[in-house]
Amino acid sequence: MVSEQQVQLGQQVPDFTLPSSSGEDISLSQFRGQKVIIYFYPKDSTPACTQQACDFRDSSSFFAAKGAAVIGISADDLKSHQKFAGKHSLPFPLLADTEKEVSRLFGVWQLKKMYGREFEGIVRSTFLIDEQGILVKEWRKVKVGGHVDEVLHAISET
């Protein structure tokens, strides 16, 4: 369980635990001592989300060389995550935030509009957490094209 207060830049990110596509529960605290890139995305197997996941996949060796772990989070269930991760050979875990608690913690579960209708969903966003668990950079309302390059650049500077 996480608090309802939203994380802020420069502050410690509260620990959380979610089920992952690898079949185990993953906690943020497991990554203490290394950088963590958490990217929130709206839905498995949609074109933009697939492109984003594959972009992170294709750069995963660079992130690893910089001591950074990548984690994807959406509100999809584990079965959907496992199918998506398997189909695209994703080398990082996808966490199932079906209760939207972590999405709310990061302020990415919001009212959205598409084709004239309103609905709640994840606003594509990425967060960089340092080795001590401090939120050091955020990208909100991300456009997929070129985004992973921006994250790579930020990792290189930290």
Side-chain angles (χ1 to χ4, degrees), residues 31 34-37 60 62-70 128-129 155:
F31 298 94
Q34 68 183 116
K35 297 176 183 108
V36 181
I37 299 151
S60 62
F62 182 85
F63 287 122
K66 293 291 187 179
V70 175
L128 175 57
I129 301 167
I155 287 285

Side-chain angles (χ1 to χ4, degrees), residues 65-125:
K66 293 291 187 179
V70 175
I71 300 170
I73 300 179
S74 83
D76 292 313
D77 63 24
L78 273 184
K79 186 176 179 182
S80 176
H81 278 347
Q82 289 166 339
K83 182 178 176 184
F84 184 54
K87 181 176 181 180
H88 298 288
S89 302
L90 302 181
F92 48 83
L94 300 178
L95 305 187
D97 188 21
T98 56
E99 300 298 315
K100 293 94 173 165
E101 288 182 4
V102 177
S103 299
R104 286 187 178 98
L105 173 68
F106 281 86
V108 300
W109 187 259
Q110 298 176 12
L111 189 63
K112 298 168 67 172
K113 292 182 181 183
M114 186 185 298
Y115 305 120
R117 75 177 241 272
E118 290 186 343
F119 60 97
E120 287 188 322
I122 289 180
V123 174
R124 190 182 313 279
S125 303

Side-chain angles (χ1 to χ4, degrees), residues 11-16 26-37 67-69 71 129-135:
Q11 293 183 346
Q12 186 86 30
V13 177
D15 193 27
F16 60 82
I26 290 184
S27 299
L28 180 61
S29 58
Q30 290 173 230
F31 298 94
R32 193 57 54 90
Q34 68 183 116
K35 297 176 183 108
V36 181
I37 299 151
I71 300 170
I129 301 167
D130 74 7
E131 295 86 346
Q132 289 74 46
I134 305 295
L135 179 61

Side-chain angles (χ1 to χ4, degrees), residues 2 4 18 44 48-49 53 72 83 87 92 107 114 128 145 150 157:
V2 294
E4 282 301 311
L18 290 172
D44 289 337
C49 295
K83 182 178 176 184
K87 181 176 181 180
F92 48 83
M114 186 185 298
L128 175 57
E150 292 176 31
E157 293 183 335

